[in-house]
Amino acid sequence: MGRVKWTIILICGAILQLGCDSPEDQFFEAEKAMKEKDSETALKILNELAKKDYAPALNQLTDSYLYGISTAQGFNKGLDQDVDRAIEYQQRNFQNGVFNRSYFNNLGSMLLFEKTPSRRDYQTAVDYFTEWARRDE
């Protein structure tokens, strides 16, 4: 009876261990790292998940590039604001059937009111606002 009990415990442990590398668990670790101001670890995990088109990671990277990450805020690694990369991540979500209305509204606004006139993209901004409004129906 003891041998069967230990076999069951070992099997259950193995099953639990396999589940620890799920995208959800990895994303949780990235969120935890961000809360601890360890942006270097968080970005490494998020970039790995983004390679697999994991939607929550693409959303988090959108935020990170949309607003930037500053070492002045206590993070161990900074990240410059890059609207183009933020758009790229949300486009990938959109192409995979994930639509986040607030991101499209924010990205549309940023493209419309971009500080550098040469980076303004009125047509893409209008496309985002149109899609945002269409999905509100």
Side-chain angles (χ1 to χ4, degrees):
M1 185 68 163
R3 185 181 261 174
V4 172
K5 183 173 151 183
W6 282 110
T7 303
I8 291 171
I9 290 171
L10 288 173
I11 291 172
C12 289
I15 290 170
L16 288 174
Q17 185 62 33
L18 288 174
C20 291
D21 269 350
S22 70
E24 293 82 7
D25 290 334
Q26 291 174 22
F27 185 73
F28 174 78
E29 289 301 317
E31 284 184 314
K32 181 179 167 191
M34 245 344 162
K35 286 178 185 170
E36 294 171 353
K37 304 288 186 179
D38 184 3
S39 53
E40 185 172 13
T41 298
L43 291 169
K44 181 180 175 185
I45 295 168
L46 292 171
N47 281 311
E48 285 301 313
L49 290 170
K51 289 177 186 175
K52 302 171 187 169
D53 285 334
Y54 184 64
L58 292 171
N59 285 337
Q60 184 63 46
L61 286 167
T62 296
D63 276 345
S64 297
Y65 281 105
L66 197 55
Y67 303 109
I69 297 174
S70 173
T71 54
Q73 296 170 322
F75 289 98
N76 65 350
K77 182 178 180 182
L79 184 70
D80 292 334
Q81 182 183 31
D82 186 340
V83 176
D84 295 330
R85 297 262 323 252
I87 290 169
E88 173 194 325
Y89 287 121
Q90 271 316 292
Q91 291 264 353
R92 284 173 52 194
N93 257 348
F94 184 65
Q95 290 166 355
N96 291 324
V98 178
F99 182 81
N100 187 320
R101 293 181 73 243
S102 64
Y103 283 116
F104 272 78
N105 186 36
N106 291 343
L107 292 171
S109 296
M110 289 191 82
L111 287 171
L112 196 59
F113 302 111
E114 175 64 41
K115 292 177 190 173
T116 308
S118 63
R119 291 193 54 199
R120 293 182 188 149
D121 185 344
Y122 298 114
Q123 184 58 54
T124 302
V126 168
D127 291 346
Y128 285 156
F129 289 133
T130 301
E131 186 64 24
W132 179 79
R134 186 182 72 76
R135 294 194 183 230
D136 195 35
E137 295 174 348

